[in-house]
């Protein structure tokens, strides 16, 4: 799906970048967590799917907070200033009242907005929302003590751009591809110093005294094993906000867009009274993931400009072979591709051609394939088959093509030969999977 148009609202003398998707009867303002960049967030299939699902029953509005992403890079805003930014976005599209969807660090601001501006709050949905980030004697469910937080702040610059937060924010999606995306999100959201200033501000937020003042209809959703924000935060909010509906969900992801079908279903029912979402189209495809081996080391060795030229040549070669073998590019992952084919043999032939062409360029890549049923939403594809192909590809060495047992069974008689590479437990995928190398 094409990137929605970036629009701008003026809040005082600050321009706030925002996007709108869908034309449903409910206005839903999505207030995200710590770091955002509208364009980079849209590159992640899971995020696109989450937004697309929400836009099926609401007009979805989301934005980059001041000082971050595509909004003006000014100092970190206070909660009061950020509430002004939400109102400015609503005013820019002539929205008098909206439901606020606050997740993670966006939760406290949404709670405060709902309490301070009831006339503009049609409802409140909190997903994995924080109440107070700091651990104290009267709040043992924060993320860190002040001493631990200071140690963490001392390493922000060294860690910025590594994308390590996926392991805790969305463990079910954490793999080399999403970590690379997460690193780009960090550096395109804010500088290390701006990120540190924002995290220091967020560390001091405490909305315990405000929650009881919320009068808007409220839905609180929280995953039982949330690795970032203890479920006790959700339980507190559900107790304190009058009349709040509370739903505990299974899983340990923190981000609502990580395998968020159940979250979308709960929001849909809360806002429309109808739980059943329209059944997505499902198609059987062979999924191919590619990834340049040791790309970080290569960047360090040749420099950014030379690496950009290498990436451009790599992308051209991959796209030429995809056209040749009738593959469809779904997405790129910085230094890799996510593509699908209507037949597994054709997908393997394409993978072999890509491997040989990139090896000749001295740019070895690893490739992974799996055949399975995927959900099709517009141009996007999602589902377990996508995750399996990515996990299989991550096991490969340089210039190696690995496939699942499903693929080998479907190409019998094609003349393609395989060697077993053992049984593997694929992260986030049930059971043990047999993996084979194309020879």
């Amino acid at each position: 799906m094409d990137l929605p148009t970036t629009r701008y609202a003026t809040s005082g003398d600050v321009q706030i970048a925002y996007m709108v998707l869908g034309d449903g009867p409910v206005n839903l303002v999505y207030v995200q967590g710590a770091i955002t960049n509208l364009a980079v967030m849209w590159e992640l299939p899971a995020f696109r799917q989450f937004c697309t699902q929400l836009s099926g029953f609401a007009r979805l509005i989301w934005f980059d907070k001041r000082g971050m992403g595509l909004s003006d890079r000014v100092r970190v805003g206070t909660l009061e200033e950020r509430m002004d930014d939400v109102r400015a976005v609503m005013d820019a599209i002539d929205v008098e009242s909206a439901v606020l969807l606050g997740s993670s660090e966006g939760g406290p601001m949404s709670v405060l907005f709902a309490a301070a501006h009831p006339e503009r709050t049609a409802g409140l949905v909190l997903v994995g929302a924080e109440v107070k980030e700091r651990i104290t004697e009267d709040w043992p469910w924060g993320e860190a003590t002040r001493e631990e937080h200071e140690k963490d702040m001392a390493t922000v610059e060294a860690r910025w751009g590594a994308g390590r937060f996926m392991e805790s924010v969305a463990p079910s999606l954490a793999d080399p591809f999403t970590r690379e995306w997460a690193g780009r999100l960090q550096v395109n959201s804010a500088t290390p110093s701006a990120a540190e200033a924002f995290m220091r501000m967020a560390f001091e937020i405490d909305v315990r005294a405000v929650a009881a003042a919320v009068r808007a209809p409220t839905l609180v959703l929280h995953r039982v094993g949330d690795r970032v924000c203890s479920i006790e935060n959700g339980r507190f909010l559900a107790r304190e906000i009058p009349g709040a509906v509370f739903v505990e969900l299974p899983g340990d992801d923190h981000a609502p867009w990580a395998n968020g079908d159940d979250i979308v279903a709960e929001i849909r029912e809360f806002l429309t009274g109808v739980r059943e979402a329209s059944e997505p189209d499902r198609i059987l495809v062979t999924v191919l993931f590619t990834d340049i081996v040791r790309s970080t080391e290569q960047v360090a060795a040749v420099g950014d400009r030379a690496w950009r030229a290498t990436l451009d040549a790599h992308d051209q070669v991959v796209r030429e072979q995809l056209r040749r073998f009738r593959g469809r590019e779904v997405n790129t992952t910085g230094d890799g591709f996510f593509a699908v084919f209507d037949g597994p043999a054709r997908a393997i032939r394409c993978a072999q051609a890509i491997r040989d062409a990139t090896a000749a360029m001295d740019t070895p890549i690893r490739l992974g394939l799996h055949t399975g049923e995927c959900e099709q939403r517009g141009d996007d594809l999602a589902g377990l088959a996508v995750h399996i192909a990515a996990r299989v590809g991550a096991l490969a060495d340089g210039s190696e093509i690995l496939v699942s047992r499903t693929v080998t069974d479907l190409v019998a008689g094609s003349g393609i030969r395989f060697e077993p590479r053992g049984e593997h437990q694929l992260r986030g995928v049930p059971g043990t999977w047999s993996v084979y190398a194309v020879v």
Side-chain angles (χ1 to χ4, degrees), residues 116-363:
H117 300 288
E119 78 286 356
R120 307 210 66 174
T121 307
L124 179 62
V125 178
L126 301 170
V127 185
E130 293 180 350
V131 173
K132 178 183 178 183
E133 190 170 312
R134 180 156 50 94
I135 296 173
T136 57
E137 288 186 5
D138 62 341
W139 188 256
W141 302 294
E143 295 180 38
T145 63
R146 187 174 295 280
E147 292 74 20
E148 291 168 337
H149 183 67
E150 287 302 324
K151 289 181 181 179
D152 192 46
M153 291 299 95
T155 63
V156 169
E157 185 170 354
R159 292 182 288 110
W160 206 243
R164 298 174 191 167
F165 68 86
M166 288 297 292
E167 302 291 345
S168 54
V169 168
S172 70
L173 301 182
D175 57 34
F177 303 101
T178 54
R179 276 193 292 271
E180 188 275 337
W181 167 84
R184 284 190 294 107
L185 176 62
Q186 286 179 310
V187 298
N188 284 282
S189 295
T191 63
S193 61
E196 180 181 344
F198 179 81
M199 287 185 280
R200 287 187 180 279
M201 180 274 296
F203 191 68
E204 302 300 330
I205 293 174
D206 184 351
V207 295
R208 287 180 295 176
V210 176
V214 174
R215 292 294 179 267
T218 301
L219 171 66
V220 180
L221 304 174
H222 215 109
R223 295 204 183 278
V224 176
D226 191 318
R227 295 190 183 183
V228 172
C229 186
S230 168
I231 193 170
E232 295 298 335
N233 286 261
R235 290 169 178 164
F236 174 89
L237 290 167
R239 288 194 306 268
E240 292 295 309
I241 297 176
V245 176
F246 182 44
V247 181
E248 296 187 10
L249 298 170
D252 58 358
D253 287 312
H254 177 62
W257 39 259
N259 294 303
D261 287 354
D262 53 351
I263 290 174
V264 172
E266 295 290 346
I267 297 173
R268 170 189 280 269
E269 183 175 23
F270 178 71
L271 296 185
T272 69
V274 179
R275 184 177 186 83
E276 294 79 12
S278 57
E279 181 67 21
D281 292 333
R282 300 185 69 85
I283 57 173
L284 184 73
V285 294
T286 297
V287 180
L288 168 67
F289 272 95
T290 75
D291 178 39
I292 298 177
V293 178
R294 295 184 298 277
S295 58
T296 303
E297 290 88 336
Q298 293 191 55
V299 175
V302 304
D304 290 338
R305 180 173 298 180
W307 179 245
R308 182 70 262 170
T310 299
L311 272 184
D312 289 344
H314 160 271
D315 292 354
Q316 180 178 348
V317 164
V318 173
R319 289 188 171 114
E320 285 175 356
Q321 300 307 324
L322 289 177
R323 284 192 293 270
R324 177 185 170 194
F325 291 94
R326 303 208 310 268
R328 176 166 74 86
E329 178 185 334
V330 179
N331 201 1
T332 58
T333 57
D335 55 3
F337 278 77
F338 165 25
V340 293
F341 299 78
D342 59 6
R346 188 176 299 111
I348 292 174
R349 303 294 189 198
C350 182
Q352 290 173 314
I354 293 172
R355 175 196 61 190
D356 296 343
T358 54
M361 297 164 50
D362 197 26
T363 310

Side-chain angles (χ1 to χ4, degrees), residues 390-433:
R391 302 296 191 271
V392 169
L395 297 172
D397 294 325
S399 296
E400 186 173 41
I401 303 169
L402 295 185
V403 304
S404 67
R405 175 64 181 268
T406 307
V407 174
T408 66
D409 291 344
L410 291 173
V411 298
S414 66
I416 300 173
R417 295 185 299 113
F418 304 93
E419 290 182 352
R421 287 292 187 267
E423 302 287 318
H424 295 268
Q425 191 83 43
L426 305 179
R427 182 188 303 174
V429 179
T432 301
W433 291 77

